[in-house]
Amino acid sequence: MNFFKRSWLYLTAKLGKTAILMLVFTAIMVFVLAGLTIRQAAIKATENAKKEVGASVTLSVDRDKMMRKAMSMANNDGSPLRIEETPVPLEQAEKVSKMKNVKDYSFSTSANAAAGEGVKPITGNADNSAQQGLSGRRPGEEIDESKSTVSMNPDFHVTGVNTLSSLPTFEDGTAKMINGRAINEKDKGTNHVNIESQLATANKLTIGSTFTLKDEDGKKREVKVVGIYKTSKTADAATQRMTSLNPANTIYAHYVLTNSFKEGATDKSKQTIDSAVYYLKDPAKMEKFVASASKKLDTDTMTLSANDQAYQHMLTPLNNVASFATNIVILVAVAGVIILSLIVILSIRERRFEIGVLMSLGENKAKIIGQFFIELFVIMLVSVSLAGMTGNVIGNQLLSQQNATHQEQSQNNTSQGGGGFMGDLSSPFTPSKQEAKQIEKMNVKMTQKTISLLGALALGIVLIAIFVASIGILRMEPKTILTSN
């Protein structure tokens, strides 16, 4: 009788022991499978998230280099420390925006303007208005319409963008459109603007109304209202002293129009912006993008700073799940080897007489070990099949738990942060943090790769268990076995 047939006869004759061993092996395989599927799903979700969330790279003036340069010049000739900021050339910023990995971009710039015909700025409280006058100037002060007056004591702050909705103040709800439409890329080359609701009410301006502003050179420019927004920001005591700092006196326009308000505005080849934010398609290629984009820029005065906080924030629970799943696979595999080895060893002890009879009949020890391997291998096949039918519930439960833990940690970190003094004086076009919604569910499912890996691990566990248990068989002698029984 060959050892294959003996294995089948033993499994069918000892159904109770076979069932118990099958349940133990199935439990081991369920945990191993859970670890494998969770890890695979987390890796897949990570790859998808890279493309969905993206990351941002900010192009701006390198103030550190400029500071060092100014300090060096001051130390060499004893002159006062003067920092001359060099804005970002528009042509260079647009070249970077056309690169392959750029999904979207946001340009921003700013200029000052004075009130012209059909509009008056919103001033502070009654006391400040009495001291400064309606336009922010003190009574009796000579009104100079030169560029220095507009630059030093402007009525309005003009913020230039290519898409107004990309500004953090509009993304987080601090400001929102209440009438008309927001400035976008289609407004390039037009005189369209968005104004605050208080300014519109005070000057009886509506959608389609026009008024004039004086640029930094004192030249009058007509603009047309295409949208009215409302902001929840209020002017404090400091901003009330300067009319243009009042949130109600902020006018939004396309950056091309805003550039025309700057002192000495020239042709496009010399136009500039204050900063540019590029949103990438794939954060994994961020370093490559920065290296390629730097070749198109004057790195002596500008710098590219990467920001993938949103991507990292969203993937934190996934990374935790993947790490936990790997630990599950390792721990369960080790435990499985130990448990199965002990079970097989105990089973062999109970079958010493059977082994002795087979050996006295001339059966090869290798075939006896092969019989035990076939028995365990059949049980393994059934257990792997049962484990594969358990479903994909565990992965999503673990991810949900990790999300809750990570969210609690984020809230604690936020509460420990705080704004502090000057915490609310950030630039209106500071790059958005790209608030990313955490992944709440993974597509945890069986794949051919998962099944193959599970089978390989199960086979490895069986081989190690049989190898450990077979050491005792190889040392047995039939005469000793039979006489001891």
Side-chain angles (χ1 to χ4, degrees), residues 177-191:
M177 298 299 299
I178 60 174
N179 198 2
R181 61 175 181 81
I183 294 294
N184 55 48
E185 193 61 45
K186 294 180 180 179
D187 294 301
K188 186 175 183 179
T190 67
N191 64 340

Side-chain angles (χ1 to χ4, degrees), residues 61-180:
V61 177
D62 194 336
R63 291 179 174 82
D64 291 337
K65 287 184 179 180
M66 296 181 66
M67 175 66 77
R68 290 194 296 268
K69 182 178 179 180
M71 292 179 65
S72 176
M73 294 179 63
N75 293 334
N76 292 336
D77 56 18
S79 60
L81 182 62
R82 296 177 179 176
I83 301 176
E84 297 181 0
E85 292 197 2
T86 304
V88 178
L90 179 58
E91 280 190 340
Q92 294 188 33
E94 288 181 338
K95 285 181 181 179
V96 177
S97 69
K98 297 175 182 177
M99 292 181 63
K100 186 177 181 180
N101 197 29
V102 176
K103 178 173 61 176
D104 197 4
Y105 64 92
S106 176
F107 291 168
S108 57
T109 189
S110 60
N112 296 312
E117 298 174 359
V119 66
K120 292 181 180 179
I122 301 296
T123 58
N125 54 37
D127 293 336
N128 285 338
S129 296
Q131 293 175 5
Q132 293 182 302
L134 184 61
S135 63
R137 301 178 180 88
R138 295 178 180 176
E141 183 179 7
E142 183 180 353
I143 299 177
D144 185 359
E145 296 183 356
S146 67
K147 60 183 179 181
S148 59
T149 300
V150 177
S151 299
M152 297 302 295
N153 191 19
D155 294 321
F156 300 101
H157 181 80
V158 184
T159 298
V161 295
N162 63 316
T163 305
L164 184 62
S165 58
S166 66
L167 293 188
T169 52
F170 283 84
E171 285 187 341
D172 61 21
T174 302
K176 60 181 180 180
M177 298 299 299
I178 60 174
N179 198 2

Side-chain angles (χ1 to χ4, degrees), residues 218-291:
K219 181 182 178 181
K220 291 184 179 180
R221 295 182 177 275
E222 185 180 74
V223 295
K224 180 181 180 180
V225 179
V226 295
I228 299 174
Y229 71 94
K230 184 177 180 62
T231 179
S232 59
K233 285 187 175 182
T234 57
D236 55 21
T239 58
Q240 286 178 357
R241 295 189 182 97
M242 191 168 183
T243 310
S244 63
L245 294 182
N246 191 318
N249 292 328
T250 297
I251 298 176
Y252 292 103
H254 194 275
Y255 63 83
V256 173
L257 177 61
T258 304
N259 271 331
S260 68
F261 277 84
K262 293 182 179 180
E263 183 178 342
T266 56
D267 59 338
K268 181 180 177 181
S269 62
K270 296 183 179 179
Q271 287 187 1
T272 61
I273 56 175
D274 295 329
S275 69
V277 182
Y278 305 99
Y279 302 101
L280 307 185
K281 298 176 182 177
D282 188 354
K285 298 179 181 179
M286 179 182 291
E287 293 183 2
K288 183 178 180 180
F289 172 81
V290 172

